[in-house]
Amino acid sequence: MRIKRESSMPNREVLYLSQADVEQLNIPIKEVIQVVEDVFREKAKGKVEVPPKPGIHPQKDAFVHAMPAYVPKMRAAGIKWVAGFPENPKHGLPYVSGLLILNDAETGFPVCVMDCTWITAKRTGAATAVAAKYLANEDSKTLGILGCGVQGRSNLEALTSVCKRLEEVKAYDISEVNLRKYVIEMTAKHGLTIAPVNSPRMAVENCDIVVTAGPILKNPQPIIEASWFKDGGFACPLDFDSYWKPEAIRSMNKFCTDDREQLGYYRQQGYFADIPQVYAEISDIISGKKHGRENQTERIMSMHLGLAIEDVATAMLVYEKAKKKGIGTSLPL
Ligand SMILES: NC(=O)c1ccc[n+]([C@@H]2O[C@H](COP(=O)([O-])OP(=O)(O)OC[C@H]3O[C@@H](n4cnc5c(N)ncnc54)[C@H](O)[C@@H]3O)[C@@H](O)[C@H]2O)c1
């Protein structure tokens, strides 16, 4: 049987996209947010394949995760092989590094290999923004960011695109240098008030939205108290339960996640020792199967573990744009 190929690469070649190649495409965050919301809709219909991510752990609190996924509607099939090494910044290296392989959905052949750092930053911010669209108060004005690194930047960028009334960011980082850099860069980029604060408590209290993006710890020493978090607030931890005390998580009226199965898988691995029942997955809220925010005083948290469907769908966007613009290097298989 002849296989009908729509791929523009009949020769056995892969397109290699370096970090600089991906970045120079300058894909607007709005487009990534749209892709991530679309992919959650497909998840709600059960039309995606996204097994929980297995990993290896060569250093303390470090990981290399294998994240395969398939989204038929977008013909997006592939795997991200992503590392997070907390000691890297001490050696002048970023915490996150990795590669993503896209496969032709008809033949299985790899068609593209790309650096995955841009995608990891943007799709995570986009997922927070999509969740905020349904779960944060519409008139959210104040955002607390704890951890002013890559995610602290991309989450702010994505949230400004969805939360139009944001006025002030309270930023906290354990590193004074990183905090100062963040304040200067983000003030120039977003035209909001970016206020450095000198305690985690000050970055949580009175904030309408709180994003925690410090390190993920297998044995967390969480410090955020229930009483710090404002009624009506929306919280999105990206660092698992490392920052939020169990009582603070339990004080939420709605505890959501991006994927129940993955949360269960991590519990088996020893994470999330003390969390409440999941109210809903984000995908079920977007699709209308479950209510999102129902009043202005609800306390809502969405625990995002990061899903490979977000990665492969965003990677398709990157791949298509790169082909159109003739960016990247063709390599023989
Ligand atoms: N859930 C997801 O989908 C997802 C996706 C990507 C990254 N992450 C997680 O997000 C977190 C941040 O990743 P990143 O790429 O931005 O890392 P990064 O190294 O770029 O930034 C981390 C920042 O946090 C600061 N920091 C360290 N400990 C802190 C603390 N206790 N309080 C406040 N700040 C602290 C560091 O000084 C640094 O500025 C990591 O835990 C990573 O695993 C989650």
Side-chain angles (χ1 to χ4, degrees), residues 103-214:
N103 296 80
D104 185 311
E106 286 182 20
T107 65
F109 268 67
V111 291
C112 185
V113 175
M114 65 180 82
D115 181 273
C116 75
T117 45
W118 183 91
I119 284 181
T120 303
K122 302 290 173 169
R123 65 68 151 155
T124 310
T128 303
V130 171
K133 194 169 142 187
Y134 293 87
L135 297 175
N137 261 315
E138 257 180 50
D139 67 344
S140 293
K141 293 188 179 64
T142 314
L143 166 66
I145 296 274
L146 293 88
C148 297
V150 171
Q151 291 298 332
R153 284 168 170 75
S154 62
N155 276 257
L156 170 57
E157 181 189 19
L159 282 166
T160 56
S161 153
V162 165
C163 307
K164 296 292 182 195
R165 297 185 193 153
L166 273 187
E167 291 171 358
E168 186 185 15
V169 178
K170 295 185 189 177
Y172 173 75
D173 198 290
I174 47 162
S175 154
E176 270 184 41
V177 176
N178 291 2
L179 181 57
R180 214 173 308 128
K181 225 172 136 223
Y182 182 86
V183 171
I184 293 168
E185 278 178 32
M186 296 300 101
T187 304
K189 186 165 180 186
H190 297 295
L192 301 172
T193 304
I194 315 282
V197 296
N198 53 24
S199 75
R201 181 174 184 155
M202 290 169 78
V204 175
E205 274 182 342
N206 297 315
C207 284
D208 300 306
I209 301 175
V210 177
V211 174
T212 54

Side-chain angles (χ1 to χ4, degrees), residues 53 63 67 80 82 84-86 89 93-96 120-121 123-125 127 145-155 172-176 178-179 200 212-217 223 237-240 242-243 258 303-307 310:
K53 43 189 172 192
F63 63 82
M67 302 177 67
K80 184 168 86 165
V82 62
F85 276 53
L93 293 170
Y95 169 67
V96 165
T120 303
R123 65 68 151 155
T124 310
I145 296 274
L146 293 88
C148 297
V150 171
Q151 291 298 332
R153 284 168 170 75
S154 62
N155 276 257
Y172 173 75
D173 198 290
I174 47 162
S175 154
E176 270 184 41
N178 291 2
L179 181 57
T212 54
I216 292 172
L217 305 171
I223 56 166
L238 306 176
D239 41 14
F240 290 18
S242 305
Y243 235 129
D258 50 3
M303 182 66 74
H304 288 185
L305 308 176
L307 295 182
E310 301 161 1

